[in-house]
Amino acid sequence: NAGVTQTPKFQVLKTGQSMTLQCAQDMNHEYMSWYRQDPGMGLRLIHYSVGAGITDQGEVPNGYNVSRSTTEDFPLRLLSAAPSQTSVYFCASRGDRESTDTQYFGPGTRLTVL
Amino acid sequence: AQSVAQPEDQVNVAEGNPLTVKCTYSVSGNPYLFWYVQYPNRGLQFLLKYITGDNLVKGSYGFEAEFNKSQTSFHLKKPSALVSDSALYFCAVRDPKAAGNKLTFGGGTRVLVKP
C-alpha cells in the first residue's frame, strides 16, 4: 500500500490564481480530511468527508472547496489564492467512521502564495 | 467545543534523560486522545492513543502516555531520550459524541534532545 499520497509537494502561486491539491489513499478508508499547518497553531481542519459524496466544513473552510466523487480521492481546491493561504497542507484518512481509529497522514504540500 | 493545550513550545533534554511533553484537553464527554510526531519535512506519524481501559498507554519508539481524567491531562513520556527523538510532537483529542468525529490538535511542542 502507498498509504496517503499528495501532489504536488511544493507549489508557488500568485494572488488570485486557482489550483487543486490532490490527495489519494489506497486503504479503502471512508473518512478523509484536509488540514493546514501554521507555526504555533498546530493543525486546523479545513474540510472533511465521511464517505463518497459526503463532505462537510471544518474549522477554517473559507477559500477552499472539496469534493468526494470516489472513496480514493479527496481533492482540495483553492478558488482564488491569497497570501493568507500560504501554509503546509496535509491530507489524512481513517479506516471507518468510528472515532477510535487511527488517522493516517500524507507527506504534505507546501504552498506559497505571493 | 473540544480543545487541546500544549503549554510548552519547546522542550530541551539531554540524551539519556527522561522526556516529558505536556498536554491538557477539554471535551464535553469521554475523550479519545492521540499523540503524533512530525519529523522535518514529513507528515505526522501516529505514536499512541487512549480510548478506554488502562490509563497508561504504551506506543511506538518506547513512548508512553498517562491519561489523567481528574487533571484532564495526557502527558507523553519516554524514560530515556535519544537524539533521534528530536521532532515536533502533537497531542490531539476527539470527542466521540461530537458531530463529524473531528480531531482537534494542540499547537505542537518541539523537542530537542542534545547529545
Side-chain angles (χ1 to χ4, degrees):
Chain A
N1 287 349
V4 181
T5 58
Q6 292 182 237
T7 57
K9 291 187 176 175
F10 301 94
Q11 183 70 50
V12 179
L13 293 177
K14 294 181 180 179
T15 296
Q17 287 185 316
S18 63
M19 79 159 294
T20 299
L21 279 62
Q22 302 292 343
C23 174
Q25 53 90 11
D26 61 359
M27 297 175 282
N28 201 32
H29 285 173
E30 288 191 29
Y31 188 100
M32 296 185 73
S33 51
W34 276 102
Y35 294 85
R36 59 177 289 173
Q37 182 182 22
D38 302 293
M41 302 186 75
L43 277 75
R44 293 181 292 169
L45 182 65
I46 305 172
H47 285 285
Y48 65 98
S49 168
V50 298
I54 307 170
T55 64
D56 205 347
Q57 296 182 350
E59 184 183 353
V60 288
N62 292 341
Y64 307 95
N65 274 358
V66 292
S67 60
R68 185 92 180 271
S69 57
T70 66
T71 299
E72 294 78 18
D73 301 299
F74 190 45
L76 178 73
R77 297 182 186 85
L78 279 70
L79 308 173
S80 178
S84 61
Q85 293 179 304
T86 294
S87 186
V88 182
Y89 291 85
F90 289 100
C91 179
S93 73
R94 193 172 78 225
D96 55 33
R97 299 187 189 190
E98 296 301 320
S99 53
T100 60
D101 200 17
T102 300
Q103 197 146 278
Y104 296 91
F105 286 82
T109 295
R110 186 174 295 274
L111 175 68
T112 302
V113 183
L114 303 175
Chain B
Q2 57 196 49
S3 65
V4 178
Q6 294 181 241
E8 301 157 315
D9 290 336
Q10 181 160 323
V11 170
N12 298 318
V13 63
E15 188 174 32
N17 281 2
L19 170 63
T20 298
V21 185
K22 296 180 180 178
C23 170
T24 58
Y25 65 89
S26 175
V27 297
S28 57
N30 293 321
Y32 294 164
L33 294 156
F34 302 79
W35 274 102
Y36 286 84
V37 60
Q38 183 181 31
Y39 298 101
N41 300 314
R42 302 286 296 276
L44 276 70
Q45 297 179 28
F46 170 76
L47 277 179
L48 52 79
K49 65 182 177 183
Y50 171 82
I51 303 300
T52 187
D54 194 347
N55 289 343
L56 184 64
V57 179
K58 294 188 183 297
S60 307
Y61 313 121
F63 283 94
E64 58 187 29
E66 185 168 11
F67 171 62
N68 188 317
K69 188 172 184 178
S70 63
Q71 297 186 4
T72 62
S73 67
F74 189 56
H75 301 330
L76 181 70
K77 298 180 181 182
K78 186 171 184 180
S80 178
L82 301 173
V83 173
S84 57
D85 294 328
S86 298
L88 189 56
Y89 291 80
F90 290 99
C91 182
V93 66
R94 181 181 294 142
D95 182 346
K97 295 185 177 180
N101 291 331
K102 291 173 282 189
L103 199 59
T104 299
F105 286 84
T109 298
R110 188 166 302 279
V111 170
L112 181 60
V113 182
K114 298 181 180 180

